[in-house]
Amino acid sequence: MVSAVADADPSLLDWDTVVEQLGSDPDRGLSVQEAARRLREVGPNEIATVPPVPRWRKFVEQFRDPLVYLLFAAIGISLIVWAVDGAPGWPMDASVIAAIIVVNAGLGYVQQAHAEHAVEALARMSAATATVVRDGVQQRVPTRELVPGDLLVLVEGDTVAADARLLSAATLQVSEARLTGESEPVMKDARTLAAPAALGDRLDMVFNGSAVNQGAGRAVVTATAMATQMGQIVVLLRSVHEERTPLQREIARLGRMLGIAVLSIAVVVIATILLMSGVHTINNVVTALLLGVSLAVAAVPEGLPAIMSVVLALGVRRMSTQNAIVKKLSSVETLGSATVVCSDKTGTLTTGEMTIGRIATPVGEVTVTGAGYHPAGRIERDGVALPEGSDLWRQSALVLGGGCLANDAALQEQDGEWAVQGDPTDAAFLVAEMKIGTGHRRTERFRRMGEIPFTSERKLMSSLESDAHRDGRVTVVTKGAAEVVLSRCTHVHVSHRIEPLDAVQRTQIIADVERLSGDAFRTLAVAYRLLETSTLPEINESLEREMVYCGMVGIIDPPRPEAADAIARARRAGIRVMMITGDHPRTAARIARDLGMTEEVSAVSGLELASLDEEQFRETVRHRSVYARVTPADKQRIVHALHADHQIVAMTGDGVNDAPALKSADIGIAMGRSGTEVAKEASTMILADDNFATIVKAIREGRGIFANIRKFLRYLLSSNIGEVLTVFFGVVLAGVIGLTDVDGTIALPLLATQILWINLLTDSGPALAMGVDPEADDIMSRPPRSTSERIIDGRMWGGFVLTGVVMAVATLLTLDLYLPGGLIAGEESLDNARTAGFTVLVLAQLFNALCARSETGTAFHRFLGNRWLWVAIGVSALLQLAVVHLPFLQRAFSTEALSPIQWLVCLVMASTVLWASEIRKLILRSLDTRKARRPMSNCPADQCRKSLRGPDIRSLIAE
Ligand code: ATP
């Protein structure tokens, strides 16, 4: 049944035939049970991308790495030698290396699965939704649950997620660019096509992948998933899984670079060993080769990209619990370097819970009491309830009634709680009308015939009503931005009369708008026009002229309580906050002042912006932070101007026309609640709670994630340098420290298996724990990171080298301490001394983990702050204890038990890493303080930043 329609080309069938064939109902849609049954039958509405990779393949993938190949080669060589030599017993080295490869692959697999899981969960969270009617009830469902026969309700801003045959269309304009390549939107029409047509001309259909630009419609789903036109073309769907962030690419590049460096070092080490010890037996050569290979494997930070993915994925998951749903991993990084946040006002900086507080009419002004959507309150003047039937009462009822006609919202009460369906601005009129109690008269008298929808550009909406008191003739009722409504009016309604609107009245109305806006009220005016026809005229904007002005309301939309604090935090963090709103300049400026955003008395209006040339525009954007009555096109222009000044811009948006601005911003942020599907699709982040404070939290997280990436880089790279230096200088200085074998040849400071063990311990637990380290206290008191800043700067490299050198010196000194001969004469066996050196190196890595948490801050600050790190350190120390004392591990890793005193010595020697790092940090801190005290004129880099970020930031940096 389902496929019959898809085959028959529904664009050529009448819609009722299509509905019937699909077993649906034009009013009630499918039943919930039937929709569930069909979903099981046809599967989810998803365009399949690449087929899923089975788990075993993912595990095998872990072995596909040049370094693992090297290890396999090492195993092969050592097995051949073992076989040729006819050595007794088990091939220990080969087995240990093989075991380490498998454990490493297992860890890699778990990490990858973890990261994928987090990203999948995220994709589910940001999944698109569609409105359908099921069992006669309108509801929003995830688009993946759409099935053939579903009755789709389409409104402006929706994305179409399946192919569907239209049942009705009211000025429905759809953009099908993704499907047909046609950039102009297409006007749709439910009338059946007379003859087969190309995709772009099937006006009675809407297709998966298109977006509703304007108007509304209803349609029955004819095909889902791969059966849709989009599925047949199989376009590449965006996939978060595959995406690599710039930072990930930089890390991968760094890994490759280090890989080459380390491989060269390994070759040098092997050559040095062979040269210095002389080649005696094939066994000597194999040992040297194994050491070189293990060194290369240990020192190349091959685990970096995997750990990086896990850290990003975990960060993204944490952000989602705070209502910031990141759609692209790369925006996590970009968030950390955001320098400007452009936020809209209504619902983001304000609560968006609208209450009409004033009604200003040509016959006087009244106050409406009560707050929120609970319709308790009254209309009063000077604190006294307005007498019912008075002129002012009637005029107020007219304004509210008009606002309720040009209205698409509904109020619902459940258990004493009032909730809004639709636009909160519309809802405010319904609530106020309930307070005055004239709703029933309005519904008895008027019947809606059509609508001219609201758009942010028009700032108006109108309803066409058949008026029972005028024999069904049509009245156009309009509400919208006060000055826009006024510009469409030629008359004014005063008590019972309609009078021409004169200049004095006009001036008075504009003064009222300014006054109410200055008091932070959102002003909306209401007007009407009486037509002499009772048939529906052609619906277009020309109907909204020669109107009769009734009055305006002042809506209270209080600032969010947490917004002022969030703005202050953003400013402390060197981030400039700009308000870009469709509201009145005075309302915008007042709210901005109340929130501590600016001292500006008025906002820059869209009209002013339009009169500026490119240079003036950029200059304005540099200095002014509040923009009002802007259009979505202005938003995009502002983003471009900020980009020209090298700013990293986060921009919020909710409407269809915000999509270009959201796309051009570095971080496009769509509103989760009030945003359209189109805006959500164009954005990289969704605010589940529409709250400005969440953006600041997300920036904080972004910065924290970046800082944590630096922490584990600091840890891994300095540890690796320590290993390389230990082996290199161990071999070069073997004679000096007494590293000789019984036969007089030089002995190796560490064995291949020991190096691999260190790699296994340190690359996993502590490195991962570093990735979830709590943020530093001052993370939001530093200026944003410049995007040109390398992830590892010169200072960090200096730290790596220092730590590496200290590790190597501590390890080699310990070896010398216990070995006979050398600088300090000891009396232990080679295996015992080597076990001590090996243990020092492991413990030094663990001390290094503590140091790596900050570049300049002491390790003792919030010493126990990261419990995962302590778990990782504890587990690593226990494993080292096991490797030193358990007999079978002693055999595998050629270790010997250490005495308690020796353990103590190892601990003290290893701790030098910590003390050396503390001294370095102390010096760096005092250098930083001295630099900060130096006058700004001596600091060209800072000055440069200053001039780039405009006045808000200048004052901050100077602070
Ligand atoms: P922001 O851009 O901060 O979200 P906003 O909601 O005021 O603020 P728009 O949605 O672009 O921005 O609305 C612009 C103007 O249009 C509003 O200030 C208001 O005067 C008018 N307006 C808003 N909603 C409606 C509506 N439902 N009906 C009629 N006019 C409206």
Side-chain angles (χ1 to χ4, degrees):
M1 165 185 63
V2 165
S3 60
V5 172
D7 294 344
D9 188 353
S11 67
L12 300 174
L13 301 174
D14 286 343
W15 65 257
D16 36 7
T17 314
V18 179
V19 171
E20 196 189 313
Q21 286 189 0
L22 283 161
S24 190
D25 183 290
D27 299 312
R28 300 184 55 78
L30 294 173
S31 71
V32 172
Q33 291 82 357
E34 177 59 12
R37 193 194 63 74
R38 291 189 187 189
L39 186 63
R40 281 194 302 275
E41 186 191 329
V42 298
N45 176 33
E46 283 167 339
I47 306 273
T49 44
V50 276
V53 182
R55 287 180 186 193
W56 67 266
R57 276 269 294 279
K58 287 187 183 168
F59 184 69
V60 171
E61 286 290 313
Q62 304 293 327
F63 295 94
R64 285 180 45 178
D65 183 306
L67 290 166
V68 177
Y69 299 157
L70 260 183
L71 282 179
F72 277 130
I75 292 177
I77 296 168
S78 93
L79 277 179
I80 292 169
V81 173
W82 172 78
V84 171
D85 267 14
W90 189 249
M92 197 49 96
D93 276 358
S95 325
V96 172
I97 297 175
I100 284 180
I101 295 178
V102 173
V103 173
N104 240 332
L107 285 175
Y109 172 80
V110 172
Q111 279 176 11
Q112 190 184 335
H114 206 77
E116 279 177 6
H117 195 73
V119 173
E120 272 162 23
L122 207 72
R124 276 199 299 278
M125 250 183 270
S126 59
T129 54
T131 307
V132 292
V133 178
R134 284 181 186 164
D135 277 332
V137 182
Q138 197 164 310
Q139 49 196 282
R140 268 195 105 69
V141 295
T143 53
R144 69 187 298 279
E145 289 174 17
L146 288 181
V147 291
D150 255 330
L151 191 58
L152 271 183
V153 180
L154 299 169
V155 293
E156 180 186 311
D158 276 352
T159 47
V160 184
D163 290 358
R165 169 71 166 90
L166 284 168
L167 272 56
S168 64
T171 57
L172 182 68
Q173 240 183 33
V174 173
S175 161
E176 295 179 339
R178 277 175 68 185
L179 193 68
T180 59
E182 173 56 57
S183 55
E184 279 297 303
V186 188
M187 190 59 94
K188 294 286 178 176
D189 187 335
R191 275 173 301 183
T192 313
L193 293 190
L199 217 53
D201 297 327
R202 292 187 202 165
L203 301 184
D204 58 349
M205 297 277 300
V206 285
F207 298 103
N208 185 7
S210 42
V212 181
N213 277 34
Q214 193 195 304
R218 283 189 169 217
V220 63
V221 173
T222 52
T224 58
M226 299 306 282
T228 62
Q229 296 294 335
M230 185 68 115
Q232 287 166 23
I233 298 169
V234 184
V235 287
L236 234 193
L237 274 191
R238 75 202 143 98
S239 160
V240 244
H241 306 242
E242 258 55 83
E243 183 215 27
R244 268 183 149 203
T245 73
L247 205 56
Q248 275 177 316
R249 283 198 293 271
E250 190 180 335
I251 297 271
R253 207 170 41 238
L254 180 82
R256 276 197 302 278
M257 196 185 82
L258 288 175
I260 295 168
V262 170
L263 279 178
S264 330
I265 294 174
V267 171
V268 174
V269 168
I270 296 171
T272 317
I273 298 173
L274 296 182
L275 279 177
M276 298 199 46
S277 63
V279 184
H280 295 278
T281 61
I282 181 83
N283 246 328
N284 285 154
V285 179
V286 171
T287 311
L289 270 179
L290 279 189
L291 181 87
V293 169
S294 310
L295 187 64
V297 171
V300 173
E302 77 284 358
L304 272 186
I307 296 181
M308 169 104 179
S309 305
V310 175
V311 169
L312 280 175
L314 286 178
V316 160
R317 198 159 65 182
R318 232 181 4 250
M319 285 164 92
S320 69
T321 60
Q322 303 193 8
N323 288 321
I325 297 161
V326 172
K327 283 168 57 193
K328 279 189 177 172
L329 284 185
S330 57
S331 29
V332 181
E333 291 161 19
T334 326
L335 266 174
S337 46
T339 57
V340 182
V341 178
C342 300
S343 172
D344 52 10
K345 170 183 72 70
T346 312
T348 313
L349 288 164
T350 62
T351 59
E353 248 201 32
M354 315 267 178
T355 316
I356 292 181
R358 296 281 167 78
I359 307 172
T361 73
V363 285
E365 189 169 322
V366 293
T367 303
V368 185
T369 63
Y373 297 120
H374 199 280
R378 62 178 193 179
I379 315 294
E380 52 177 49
R381 188 176 194 181
D382 302 328
V384 182
L386 204 61
E388 196 173 324
S390 66
D391 274 358
L392 185 49
W393 184 91
R394 282 168 177 275
Q395 187 95 13
S396 304
L398 175 72
V399 173
L400 295 180
C404 291
L405 288 171
N407 198 308
D408 285 329
L411 272 181
Q412 280 167 345
E413 188 205 359
Q414 213 176 22
D415 307 328
E417 290 288 315
W418 289 82
V420 171
Q421 264 218 330
D423 189 326
T425 306
D426 288 0
F429 279 92
L430 300 178
V431 176
E433 195 193 45
M434 284 172 85
K435 291 175 186 170
I436 204 167
T438 51
H440 59 283
R441 293 190 208 166
R442 171 178 56 83
T443 45
E444 278 163 15
R445 179 171 168 183
F446 294 101
R447 187 175 53 83
R448 183 178 273 206
M449 300 174 78
E451 179 188 337
I452 312 177
F454 171 79
T455 67
S456 300
E457 281 94 347
R458 287 168 21 81
K459 300 182 174 35
L460 289 180
M461 77 173 280
S462 298
S463 169
L464 278 73
E465 303 284 335
S466 158
D467 183 352
H469 290 188
R470 295 200 308 124
D471 305 327
R473 274 172 291 178
V474 180
T475 302
V476 183
V477 187
T478 300
K479 83 171 192 310
E483 70 279 13
V484 183
V485 171
L486 189 62
S487 70
R488 311 284 172 115
C489 293
T490 48
H491 289 74
V492 56
H493 185 116
V494 184
S495 298
H496 304 282
R497 299 179 309 277
I498 296 178
E499 300 171 358
L501 186 63
D502 60 30
V504 178
Q505 281 163 320
R506 222 175 255 281
T507 314
Q508 179 56 46
I509 293 168
I510 291 173
D512 284 346
V513 176
E514 301 269 312
R515 181 172 47 82
L516 288 176
S517 303
D519 286 343
F521 284 107
R522 188 175 157 78
T523 51
L524 267 92
V526 174
Y528 64 84
R529 179 177 171 204
L530 304 174
L531 301 183
E532 289 311 320
T533 168
S534 47
T535 52
L536 188 65
E538 191 185 332
I539 298 181
N540 58 41
E541 289 178 36
S542 67
L543 292 172
E544 294 162 332
R545 64 185 162 86
E546 293 166 16
M547 306 203 81
V548 181
Y549 179 83
C550 304
M552 81 182 95
V553 297
I555 299 179
I556 307 163
D557 176 21
R560 283 181 183 267
E562 63 278 39
D565 185 45
I567 289 172
R569 264 183 292 138
R571 294 185 60 157
R572 271 199 300 279
I575 300 160
R576 179 173 172 205
V577 180
M578 292 170 70
M579 179 196 281
I580 305 182
T581 175
D583 212 339
H584 192 278
R586 279 184 173 256
T587 317
R590 171 63 194 268
I591 298 274
R593 281 201 306 279
D594 288 354
L595 288 169
M597 244 180 87
T598 177
E599 291 308 315
E600 294 164 30
V601 180
S602 183
V604 183
S605 74
L607 222 59
E608 285 172 63
L609 285 179
S611 67
L612 303 178
D613 67 24
E614 218 40 51
E615 196 33 56
Q616 291 167 325
F617 192 94
R618 274 172 65 176
E619 197 51 31
T620 308
V621 169
R622 224 170 264 154
H623 295 106
R624 306 284 299 272
S625 294
V626 186
Y627 297 82
R629 288 286 190 246
V630 292
T631 60
D634 294 327
K635 283 190 175 184
Q636 199 179 7
R637 220 175 142 203
I638 292 174
V639 174
H640 290 321
L642 288 167
H643 275 166
D645 270 353
H646 310 288
Q647 304 295 315
I648 306 292
V649 185
M651 158 87 71
T652 66
D654 47 17
V656 196
N657 301 332
D658 287 336
L662 289 173
K663 277 218 161 104
S664 1
D666 302 275
I667 308 145
I669 306 173
M671 297 299 143
R673 289 190 190 162
S674 60
T676 55
E677 290 299 319
V678 172
K680 288 182 197 168
E681 199 176 282
S683 64
T684 49
M685 191 171 116
I686 299 174
L687 284 190
D689 59 356
D690 291 11
N691 188 346
F692 176 81
T694 303
I695 305 176
V696 180
K697 278 191 214 155
I699 291 179
R700 188 192 173 98
E701 278 290 345
R703 288 186 175 197
I705 290 170
F706 185 81
N708 284 354
I709 290 172
R710 275 199 159 155
K711 288 177 196 175
F712 71 70
L713 279 176
R714 212 177 275 134
Y715 167 70
L716 278 180
L717 297 185
S718 53
S719 295
N720 287 357
I721 291 180
E723 289 162 33
V724 174
L725 292 183
T726 305
V727 174
F728 184 72
F729 286 110
V731 172
V732 173
L733 303 174
V736 183
I737 58 174
L739 247 179
T740 46
D741 223 331
V742 274
D743 55 4
T745 58
I746 67 160
L748 299 177
L750 290 169
L751 296 177
T753 47
Q754 292 173 347
I755 292 183
L756 290 177
W757 171 259
I758 296 175
N759 190 39
L760 190 67
L761 279 198
T762 53
D763 265 14
S764 47
L768 269 179
M770 206 78 69
V772 293
D773 202 47
E775 303 146 1
D777 308 328
D778 65 343
I779 195 132
M780 288 299 268
S781 37
R782 306 175 200 151
R785 175 180 68 96
S786 145
T787 38
S788 59
E789 193 178 309
R790 303 309 297 252
I791 180 124
I792 305 178
D793 54 23
R795 187 183 259 199
M796 277 171 82
W797 280 116
F800 298 168
V801 173
L802 176 81
T803 308
V805 168
V806 175
M807 266 183 201
V809 170
T811 309
L812 295 177
L813 267 184
T814 310
L815 269 167
D816 189 8
L817 181 68
Y818 291 116
L819 282 173
L823 296 172
I824 316 162
E827 43 200 41
E828 301 293 341
S829 68
L830 177 60
D831 273 353
N832 179 283
R834 200 146 48 194
T835 307
F838 168 43
T839 304
V840 169
L841 198 51
V842 168
L843 296 181
Q845 315 266 352
L846 303 184
F847 278 110
N848 186 29
L850 296 173
C851 307
R853 293 176 61 212
S854 169
E855 184 66 23
T856 52
T858 165
F860 298 101
H861 177 64
R862 291 210 278 181
F863 193 55
L864 301 176
N866 181 350
R867 68 195 152 99
W868 287 115
L869 183 61
W870 283 102
V871 170
I873 290 178
V875 170
S876 304
L878 279 178
L879 286 171
Q880 182 63 14
L881 205 67
V883 109
V884 172
H885 291 283
L886 293 184
F888 79 97
L889 287 176
Q890 284 176 340
R891 273 197 304 283
F893 290 90
S894 310
T895 53
E896 255 186 25
L898 296 177
S899 69
I901 295 290
Q902 280 186 307
W903 269 102
L904 195 65
V905 170
C906 291
L907 204 64
V908 172
M909 293 303 275
S911 72
T912 49
V913 167
L914 177 65
W915 307 124
S917 147
E918 286 298 308
I919 293 169
R920 171 177 170 270
K921 289 178 180 178
L922 202 69
I923 297 170
L924 288 180
R925 281 202 299 273
S926 74
L927 282 178
D928 285 350
T929 327
R930 221 176 295 161
K931 203 152 96 195
R933 282 206 203 106
R934 226 180 288 158
M936 287 293 266
S937 54
N938 292 343
C939 187
D942 277 358
Q943 267 212 329
C944 164
R945 281 194 160 198
K946 233 174 77 170
S947 67
L948 284 180
R949 288 220 188 89
D952 302 7
I953 306 301
R954 281 181 208 185
S955 54
L956 269 162
I957 290 177
E959 256 169 30

